[in-house]
Amino acid sequence: MSKPNKARYRLETVKRSYAEAVGGELVEFEVGPEDDPQVFSFPHPIFTPDDMQQDLNEAKGDEAGARILLGDQYQAFKDAGGDVNGVMLLYVGIRNEAQDKVQKVRPTRG
């Protein structure tokens, strides 16, 4: 139970405020024809699990990075004509954009 006038935060509320600031915990993108695109997703860079982030840091090249980000979706992504370089550019762009957005977030106390 929260105590009044204490500097105590609810972690769920803090996480929610960051998710709202960056547009959610997942990044969705489309691949394929405009009239019938396939939707793929990966964790938003600020919500990337530690083990995935470590794997990304050690990845050699865009293909390895895309495989890590997409996991089980990777083959369907390739079959749909997906471009691994494009996925990695999207990831880097979203990560850079998030740095600006998260600096403006002021977590509330619940």
Side-chain angles (χ1 to χ4, degrees), residues 10-110:
R10 292 197 44 80
L11 292 182
E12 296 84 7
T13 303
V14 172
K15 187 174 182 179
R16 188 175 334 116
S17 66
Y18 279 93
E20 289 171 3
V22 299
E25 293 183 41
L26 290 177
V27 174
E28 292 187 336
F29 62 96
E30 298 178 348
V31 173
E34 277 190 46
D35 62 337
D36 190 27
Q38 287 188 267
V39 177
F40 299 95
S41 63
F42 56 80
H44 192 285
I46 70 168
F47 296 107
T48 303
D50 287 346
D51 59 340
M52 181 183 278
Q53 187 61 56
Q54 183 173 349
D55 290 345
L56 284 168
N57 291 340
E58 296 170 2
K60 303 269 192 254
D62 290 346
E63 181 178 355
R67 283 181 181 275
I68 293 164
L69 283 174
L70 297 174
D72 293 342
Q73 304 171 89
Y74 182 78
Q75 191 57 54
F77 166 77
K78 288 300 289 178
D79 292 346
D83 170 39
V84 295
N85 181 253
V87 170
M88 297 313 295
L89 288 171
L90 176 60
Y91 180 81
V92 169
I94 296 288
R95 184 182 64 205
N96 291 343
E97 182 181 274
Q99 291 174 350
D100 292 335
K101 289 182 179 180
V102 298
Q103 289 177 4
K104 297 174 185 169
V105 173
R106 299 291 176 251
T108 58
R109 289 191 174 92

